Amino acid sequence: QADVFTFDPGFTSTAACESAITYIDGDKGELLHRGYPIEQLANKSSYLEMCYLLLYGELPNASQLSDFEGRVTRHTMVHEQMHNFFRGFRRDAHPMATMVGVVGAMSAFYHDSLDINDEWQREVAAIRMVAKLPTIAAMAYKYSIGQPFVYPKNSLSYAGNFLNMCFAVPAEEYHVNPILAKAMDRIMMLHADHEQNASTSTVRLAGSSGANPFACIAAGIACLWGPAHGGANQACLEMLREIGTVDRIPEYIAKAKDKNSGFRLMGFGHRVYKNFDPRATVMKESADEVLDLLGIHNNPTLQVAKELERIALSDDYFISKKLYPNVDFYSGIILDAMGFPTSMFTPIFAISRTVGWIAQWKEMIAEKNQKIGRPRQLYVGEKQRDYVDVKHR
Ligand code: SDX
């Protein structure tokens, strides 16, 4: 049931929402999507099958999955006019800045005819969002490196299409490496939804006012960008590279324990998990597998990450604070091995999380008597006082 908290001075507020999509037990390190453990989904399912599960509540049968994949595939192109939005950004704009702007602009293309009170139209908006985010993220990447946009190819898988749109160039054939496509699909599954995290709560709060879903997702992307949230995967790889070698780890551990340093180990800790983040465990296995398959043995960054994890997990400070690696600790190492710049790490998180955001938005809008969100505060300011004319101040 929705938890009801009573704050001083005696007002109550329902500070939690009801949702049937994702369950987390932070003490046990458990993550379930519609009841299915993330470990099983990550090893047996696919991202689009998980999208179906998150959106509709059940795993699809073969024909339902094929129909859903076909509907998503046929919506992967964006309106040709949307290409113009990219040219308004500086070449060196962070792809997340571009994504916030372009996804928000989808409101101008797909919002007018959208009645969010109509179930079918909410469904169409959800499919469009899941389908177009990879295209927009790939376009943001291509724009940032001065290469031409690559159109989606319906013959490719969802993850393979994204890799092709990012790495193909007109000058030569690009062959999607199935190992990388599978690893990318698993990364997307591991980031698909995570209960009421900051960006999902942002999407819900924006949606509670009746704002159109494209604008709500743009708000979620903006929130995800922060280094305390989805931006941590970029910050984590940059930290691991800065550490450089395992002999420098103690220096960073000491800095992380020094309150005055303001430094935190990126990819460590979590607001809910006070045990292992189950996604980090799967991600670590995937990092080993992908780097091995790519023949990148003894990757120095992976060595530093593993040694940093080993040292931190045996350190009393981290044990006392229950700080464990989270989903962002290993993901950057895999994305780096795939050839992505760190600036594309959070956009990939945003692509993956779009289905979680839109599933939670749909769940909330479908609620009977949905009310606008209104977080309350504890007022700690001045008591009432009278105005003083400037002559007497
Ligand atoms: C994501 O909510 C979600 O579900 C998010 C997410 C999702 O899928 O949506 O899981 C994705 O955002 C993962 C988190 C990615 N962020 C990082 O890796 C950034 C580094 N981590 C921290 O900034 C921090 O751990 C948070 C923000 C993730 C969680 O912070 P909390 O739960 O608010 O914990 P806190 O800041 O109150 O810290 C508790 C204590 C503090 O010490 P004290 O004040 O009690 O003395 O632990 C310390 C902190 O100083 N601490 C750390 C630390 N994280 C917390 N010390 C060093 N390094 C860290 N990483």
Side-chain angles (χ1 to χ4, degrees), residues 43-60:
N43 289 314
K44 298 176 179 176
S45 185
S46 69
Y47 180 71
L48 284 187
E49 184 176 79
M50 252 188 83
C51 288
Y52 188 100
L53 174 66
L54 291 172
L55 288 167
Y56 308 118
E58 296 295 338
L59 287 169

Side-chain angles (χ1 to χ4, degrees), residues 24 190-200 224 226-233 235-236 253 255-257 259 263-274 277 279 317-318 321-324 326-329 349 353 357:
I24 300 173
L190 292 172
H191 288 85
D193 189 50
H194 210 238
E195 200 224 58
Q196 305 312 315
N197 56 86
S199 53
T200 299
L224 184 75
H229 190 12
N233 51 18
C236 181
I253 294 275
K255 214 161 65 165
K257 289 156 68 171
K259 279 266 162 284
F263 170 76
R264 288 190 165 185
L265 287 183
M266 290 290 110
F268 257 80
H270 199 276
R271 176 52 63 86
V272 176
Y273 290 120
K274 301 308 169 190
D277 177 339
R279 302 168 298 173
Y317 175 87
F318 290 89
K321 306 276 180 201
K322 298 185 176 178
L323 301 177
Y324 293 87
N326 59 48
V327 68
D328 294 310
F329 191 63
F349 193 150
R353 184 55 54 89
W357 288 330

Side-chain angles (χ1 to χ4, degrees), residues 78-251:
V78 294
H79 192 295
E80 197 66 9
Q81 261 191 292
M82 285 190 69
H83 290 209
N84 301 330
F85 289 121
F86 290 86
R87 293 185 176 84
F89 285 91
R90 281 174 41 144
R91 268 272 180 258
D92 58 356
H94 193 293
M96 283 298 278
T98 318
M99 284 182 74
V100 168
V102 175
V103 172
M106 284 174 81
S107 313
F109 282 82
Y110 303 109
H111 160 53
D112 296 354
S113 56
L114 180 68
D115 171 8
I116 62 171
N117 297 309
D118 176 288
E119 164 61 24
W120 172 247
Q121 294 193 45
R122 290 199 293 268
E123 162 83 18
V124 167
I127 294 281
R128 278 184 169 141
M129 219 84 74
V130 170
K132 298 180 193 303
L133 259 286
T135 309
I136 291 170
M139 290 170 80
Y141 173 53
K142 283 304 206 184
Y143 183 73
S144 74
I145 58 174
Q147 288 186 0
F149 297 143
V150 174
Y151 285 86
K153 268 186 180 172
N154 291 357
S155 57
L156 295 173
S157 69
Y158 187 85
N161 210 359
F162 175 61
L163 293 174
N164 187 62
M165 290 188 286
C166 288
F167 296 129
V169 288
E172 58 191 29
E173 269 305 298
Y174 174 77
H175 298 289
V176 174
N177 179 330
I179 299 162
L180 297 189
K182 183 167 176 287
M184 176 55 73
D185 196 74
R186 181 180 289 172
I187 286 177
M188 291 177 167
M189 284 194 273
L190 292 172
H191 288 85
D193 189 50
H194 210 238
E195 200 224 58
Q196 305 312 315
N197 56 86
S199 53
T200 299
S201 303
T202 301
V203 171
R204 277 182 172 257
L205 198 53
S208 72
S209 73
N212 76 79
F214 305 100
C216 297
I217 298 297
I221 295 172
C223 177
L224 184 75
W225 193 1
H229 190 12
N233 51 18
Q234 172 174 350
C236 181
L237 191 79
E238 289 163 354
M239 174 193 75
L240 293 171
R241 281 181 174 157
E242 186 187 311
I243 295 172
T245 52
V246 295
D247 61 308
R248 294 190 64 205
I249 291 173
E251 173 194 334

